[in-house]
Amino acid sequence: MNKLIIFDLDGVIFNSKSNMNKAWREVRNKLKLNISFNEYFNNIGIPFNKILKKLKIKKNLFLKISKIYKETSIKKNNYIKVYPGVKSTISYLKKKNYKLAILTSKERSRTLKLLKKFNLKFKHVQCPTTQNIGKPNPKILNILNKKLNFDKKRIFYIGDTQVDYLFAKKSKINFIFCNYGYGKIFNKSVLYINKFSDLKKIF
């Protein structure tokens, strides 16, 4: 039987920390927000508006912040890099006939622009819903898998944060931690990779 391998985006496929920093700096400068990039960055992995809520930002600023952040992120996308080994490993997995998908907290238009920019082709791309359903809520996995209909025992999520681990656990799917990414996890028994191409040793 085949396997479904689902990838997070930032910290797994893309090294986008510098881009995020530029975008958040623009938000801070334009709206005079006294919230550091580290405070923002420590919450990545959940939908953008939920990060703003956790940072106790007034709800009436959400649309302005989202607009500034999105526009700056697109404008500064030259600060985003693909991690080494991503393209060759994805090609390898496709040749082995694994089903591949993206499931990210990044909003859809920017996700698709980046995948196109770097010529990374995924037939199935799942982003937070208009109802703001995203990781670690397992409903977002169910929305994706409704189209694919895989046994959860044969689904693997590749992520780099504690949010990703919790998402996989709540979704009752397998998890592989990217040790080179942005976060840390608190379960020492989790399977991990030190570089993207290490996936060739697993699959």
Side-chain angles (χ1 to χ4, degrees):
M1 290 177 69
N2 210 342
K3 294 182 177 74
L4 170 61
I5 306 171
I6 309 173
F7 301 95
D8 182 28
L9 213 54
D10 297 303
V12 174
I13 287 178
F14 295 134
N15 187 351
S16 52
K17 189 173 182 178
S18 293
N19 174 271
M20 293 182 200
N21 198 347
K22 300 280 183 188
W24 190 252
R25 187 182 301 170
E26 192 72 4
V27 168
R28 290 186 66 200
N29 290 343
K30 286 192 173 180
L31 299 177
K32 310 298 180 190
L33 282 183
N34 189 26
I35 298 171
S36 71
F37 174 66
N38 283 340
E39 288 175 275
Y40 166 77
F41 190 73
N42 286 339
N43 289 287
I44 64 163
I46 60 177
F48 189 76
N49 280 355
K50 290 193 175 180
I51 295 178
L52 302 185
K53 189 175 180 180
K54 283 190 77 174
L55 294 173
K56 297 181 179 177
I57 294 171
K58 292 178 181 177
K59 197 169 183 179
N60 64 339
L61 290 175
F62 283 19
L63 279 176
K64 283 183 181 178
I65 292 172
S66 182
K67 186 174 186 292
I68 295 167
Y69 190 96
K70 179 180 175 180
E71 288 176 353
T72 308
S73 178
I74 291 170
K75 187 178 178 182
K76 303 282 187 180
N77 68 11
N78 57 307
Y79 285 91
I80 297 174
K81 308 296 179 188
V82 177
Y83 281 109
V86 165
K87 291 189 176 182
S88 60
T89 303
I90 287 173
S91 178
Y92 164 86
L93 294 171
K94 284 181 177 179
K95 284 177 182 175
K96 293 199 76 175
N97 290 320
Y98 292 117
K99 187 75 74 176
L100 307 183
I102 295 287
L103 192 152
T104 176
S105 291
K106 192 184 290 293
E107 60 92 21
R108 190 169 185 82
S109 65
R110 282 191 296 136
T111 296
L112 296 178
K113 281 178 189 293
L114 284 173
L115 292 173
K116 185 177 180 180
K117 173 183 167 69
F118 292 103
N119 196 30
L120 292 168
K121 296 176 182 176
F122 288 87
K123 188 175 180 182
H124 304 284
V125 177
Q126 185 64 55
C127 300
T129 68
T130 52
Q131 293 80 31
N132 220 22
I133 297 171
K135 295 180 296 182
N137 192 329
K139 286 182 181 178
I140 198 74
L141 183 277
N142 295 335
I143 291 167
L144 173 66
N145 199 34
K146 190 175 182 180
K147 311 164 193 172
L148 299 170
N149 198 29
F150 269 79
D151 183 333
K152 288 188 175 181
K153 292 178 182 177
R154 306 196 67 79
I155 300 176
F156 293 77
Y157 190 65
I158 320 297
D160 71 308
T161 65
Q162 182 72 8
V163 171
D164 294 332
Y165 169 69
L166 290 173
F167 163 68
K169 190 174 181 181
K170 287 182 177 184
S171 300
K172 299 180 180 178
I173 58 176
N174 303 287
F175 180 68
I176 299 173
F177 178 65
C178 295
N179 212 20
Y180 58 84
Y182 300 150
K184 294 179 181 179
I185 55 171
F186 309 107
N187 186 330
K188 302 291 184 183
S189 65
V190 168
L191 183 64
Y192 68 89
I193 55 174
N194 288 317
K195 56 184 186 295
F196 195 89
S197 58
D198 285 347
L199 289 172
K200 293 179 183 179
K201 300 174 186 176
I202 298 171
F203 296 105

